[in-house]
Amino acid sequence: MQFLVNAAQMKSYDRNTIENIGISSLVLMERAAVATVEEIRGRFPKISRWENGKERKISVLVVAGCGNNGGDGLAIGRILMEYGYEVSFVLIGNQEKCSRETAVQIQILGHMGVSIKSDLSAQIEERVDRKRKNWDIVIDGLFGIGLSREITGIFAQSVEYMNQSGAYIVSVDISSGIHTDTGVVMGTAVRADLTVTYGYEKLGQIFYPGAEYTGELVCKKIGISYREGLEKPAAFIYDRGDLTRLPVRKTDGNKGSFGKVFVIAGSEEMYGACQFAALGAYRTGAGLVRILTARSNRELLFSAVPEAIVDTYETEFPGEAIEAGLAWADCVVIGPGMGKGPLACQMMKYVWEQCRAPLIVDADGLNILAAWPESVSVKAGREIYFTPHMGEFSRLTKKSIKCCKEERIPTVKEYALTVGAIVVSKDARTVIGDSEGEIYINTSGDNGMATGGSGDVLAGILAGLVAQGMKGMEAACMAVYVHGLAGNAASGKKSAYSVMAGDLLEMLPEIFML
């Protein structure tokens, strides 16, 4: 598990380290610079290379701003000089307004006889006059995590030059122009090949579009950390080490030991939804799966999922079958491919009012609830999971998709608190929140998963974990993480162009064998 922070949290941790722990800001700056140089030298271990029969040094351009991010950049350039790289420096902005730490870095370079240009175009012209090609490496130290307004003027021009330089771009702490909390591009932004961030990864480096501008992200520990009494990090993410959280399989277990999942899904037009949800539960370890679906799906299910118990309905409300399923199940899934007609609404209302087992509401189940907001309240002791994609989440919250995307964490927090459920807000970066304010952001998966049926598989994976005893946020986070890993594996084997929902099911055994 790793933590993610917003700008305010990172600043408070930094301030606490300086004022209360006693590590000075200049020491932190030097540590940051040394850590970044380590990463650069790991990728450019030789200080020279042969070009047109001549040996020349690897050239570096540092583009610094007046804030501490610029000071980091200047320190990085200085240390690279010590290793023998050819380094040029440009400071963009009014030098008189530089932070104290950046002013010290300017002074150090002055004592070393190093010239710092104040005009990027002049630096470029000087290089052309010397008949040198563009720089090999550009250090982006223009703006840090404090950026709150759009980049314009000479700063925007500097960003565009870096992007068009053809050099390997290293951003210091965060790509200049990316909003630290949201990942939004503030007018323009540097497209980094590598971003070396300090202390913790930032939300804007994980959310899109910020993630696309960040390039490879490396987080270095330099002495800044969360401590008791400060605001907790904004969110957390899982990595492969968290797969140890999966339910332990009892060696003497039986099919009843590993949980029973009741899936109410599918219709005449949407057969595959119930199949994918049922197989998702089985492939995740559920002992038994029972399906309630339209009668037209019966023979297909017997062939596709012969392990399942299948109940069906035609035009009458299947009250007895639902009642029996609710009494039998350890976890219930309702909604995938169910439709939104009168019968589907009647079933949804009955299950919502009568189900006492953990309940996963997906797809059409959510659309029905969105039209019935006055009844969406969770009774005490009941475990509810909502798994909406952006369109469904917009309908549930009565907010625009744009708002739901740009205000991911506040919107998920607010709605999870309102309905008392665990909310799995699905998108390129799925955000999960609960009524206690915990936030998880998923980083597994890729765009190959943007295919019909993928969400039905996720509902089944979540049901399989919950049926085996996982609860709350841990179950939801693990389900989404595993689902994403299956997507990565499927894309790796078949390419993102060719992934289908069934491929995710095929990859699950590989994930659980890791």
Side-chain angles (χ1 to χ4, degrees):
M1 180 191 293
Q2 301 174 50
F3 293 105
L4 305 175
V5 300
N6 59 35
Q9 290 162 348
M10 194 65 228
K11 289 177 182 178
S12 72
Y13 301 167
D14 185 57
R15 186 167 53 252
N16 181 70
T17 301
I18 295 166
E19 296 177 358
N20 298 324
I21 304 302
I23 303 175
S24 75
S25 56
L26 283 169
V27 168
L28 293 175
M29 185 171 282
E30 199 71 9
R31 286 182 177 180
V34 169
T36 304
V37 169
E38 286 177 356
E39 294 298 323
I40 294 171
R41 294 190 69 225
R43 292 157 179 80
F44 294 85
K46 296 181 178 180
I47 64 168
S48 63
R49 69 181 186 186
W50 287 90
E51 187 178 276
N52 298 326
K54 296 181 179 180
E55 186 178 16
R56 71 172 184 83
K57 287 186 176 182
I58 297 293
S59 58
V60 180
L61 172 65
V62 175
V63 182
C66 294
N68 278 4
N69 193 254
D72 291 334
L74 296 175
I76 291 165
R78 167 171 50 80
I79 297 171
L80 287 172
M81 283 179 58
E82 293 172 7
Y83 279 108
Y85 297 82
E86 179 192 282
V87 185
S88 304
F89 297 87
V90 176
L91 181 74
I92 309 297
N94 186 347
Q95 185 170 325
E96 294 180 359
K97 295 183 178 180
C98 282
S99 67
R100 182 182 67 85
E101 292 80 3
T102 298
V104 170
Q105 296 296 340
I106 293 170
Q107 185 179 52
I108 292 171
L109 288 169
H111 291 162
M112 295 172 65
V114 175
S115 171
I116 302 175
K117 302 291 185 182
S118 59
D119 187 337
L120 181 55
S121 60
Q123 184 69 272
I124 296 168
E125 288 173 6
E126 179 183 309
R127 192 166 184 80
V128 171
D129 291 341
R130 293 166 59 194
K131 298 181 180 180
R132 295 297 303 273
K133 291 187 176 181
N134 289 339
W135 287 271
D136 298 300
I137 304 169
V138 169
I139 307 298
D140 160 35
L142 196 57
F143 293 105
I145 64 172
L147 182 67
S148 59
R149 65 184 186 278
E150 290 203 350
I151 297 178
T152 59
I154 190 173
F155 300 102
Q157 293 169 17
S158 300
V159 169
E160 291 308 309
Y161 172 77
M162 286 189 271
N163 286 340
Q164 295 170 14
S165 68
Y168 184 89
I169 301 177
V170 180
S171 285
V172 178
D173 204 17
I174 192 167
S175 174
S176 292
I178 295 301
H179 193 284
T180 305
D181 297 356
T182 65
V184 168
V185 175
M186 306 298 283
T188 186
V190 171
R191 287 188 175 273
D193 295 290
L194 169 69
T195 298
V196 182
T197 197
Y198 313 120
Y200 297 96
E201 294 178 9
K202 317 307 187 283
L203 293 171
Q205 295 166 335
I206 303 302
F207 284 134
Y208 288 96
E212 293 181 321
Y213 288 77
T214 297
E216 180 186 358
L217 179 60
V218 175
C219 185
K220 305 294 282 189
K221 298 298 181 184
I222 62 171
I224 303 171
S225 62
Y226 161 76
R227 293 180 181 273
E228 189 173 348
L230 302 175
E231 184 180 345
K232 291 182 179 180
F236 64 95
I237 59 176
Y238 275 176
D239 55 37
R240 286 182 179 268
D242 289 290
L243 291 174
T244 57
R245 299 169 181 270
L246 285 164
V248 176
R249 303 280 291 182
K250 295 181 181 179
T251 54
D252 62 344
N254 57 60
K255 61 187 177 184
S257 306
F258 300 122
K260 295 170 286 186
V261 175
F262 183 30
V263 176
I264 306 170
S267 60
E268 290 186 4
E269 296 82 14
M270 297 284 287
Y271 153 71
C274 53
Q275 176 184 326
F276 290 139
L279 287 172
Y282 265 134
R283 286 293 191 192
T284 309
L288 289 166
V289 177
R290 185 171 188 164
I291 302 169
L292 177 62
T293 189
R295 184 170 182 80
S296 59
N297 297 332
R298 185 179 180 86
E299 298 305 320
L300 293 169
L301 282 171
F302 282 156
S303 174
V305 197
E307 302 87 349
I309 304 164
V310 180
D311 294 320
T312 63
Y313 60 87
E314 292 190 66
T315 58
E316 298 296 321
F317 175 68
E320 290 184 9
I322 294 178
E323 186 176 350
L326 295 182
W328 171 87
D330 296 307
C331 180
V332 178
V333 178
I334 186 168
M338 189 171 70
K340 296 174 285 185
L343 185 55
C345 291
Q346 190 177 1
M347 289 192 289
M348 182 67 237
K349 182 175 181 179
Y350 184 88
V351 170
W352 184 256
E353 292 177 345
Q354 300 300 321
C355 181
R356 294 296 172 266
L359 177 63
I360 298 164
V361 186
D362 185 41
D364 287 328
L366 296 168
N367 290 323
I368 292 169
L369 290 181
W372 188 36
E374 67 280 0
S375 298
V376 182
S377 59
V378 178
K379 297 180 174 64
R382 201 159 68 138
E383 195 172 323
I384 303 289
Y385 301 83
F386 285 177
T387 56
H389 59 53
M390 277 293 126
E392 292 158 352
F393 196 41
S394 174
R395 288 188 281 276
L396 286 168
T397 60
K398 313 304 180 190
K399 296 183 179 182
S400 69
I401 292 178
K402 184 176 186 292
C403 175
C404 291
K405 276 183 171 287
E406 293 183 357
E407 300 292 333
R408 296 296 303 282
I409 290 178
T411 307
V412 169
K413 274 187 174 182
E414 178 186 355
Y415 192 70
L417 180 61
T418 299
V419 301
I422 293 165
V423 176
V424 180
S425 174
K426 298 182 294 192
D427 200 34
R429 289 285 189 246
T430 292
V431 176
I432 304 174
D434 66 5
S435 58
E436 301 299 316
E438 288 288 313
I439 291 290
Y440 168 85
I441 301 173
N442 192 60
T443 56
S444 65
D446 57 42
N447 58 19
M449 301 173 70
T451 184
S454 179
D456 306 324
V457 173
L458 173 60
I461 293 172
L462 176 54
L465 294 176
V466 172
Q468 291 173 82
M470 290 193 82
K471 296 182 181 295
M473 283 288 286
E474 187 172 44
C477 298
M478 182 56 65
V480 172
Y481 183 63
V482 166
H483 182 246
L485 290 180
N488 292 142
S491 291
K493 183 169 287 189
K494 301 190 175 185
S495 94
Y497 290 97
S498 303
V499 173
M500 299 175 69
D503 299 324
L504 305 180
L505 294 166
E506 289 180 15
M507 294 299 110
L508 284 175
E510 293 188 15
I511 304 305
F512 293 130
M513 289 177 68
L514 294 176

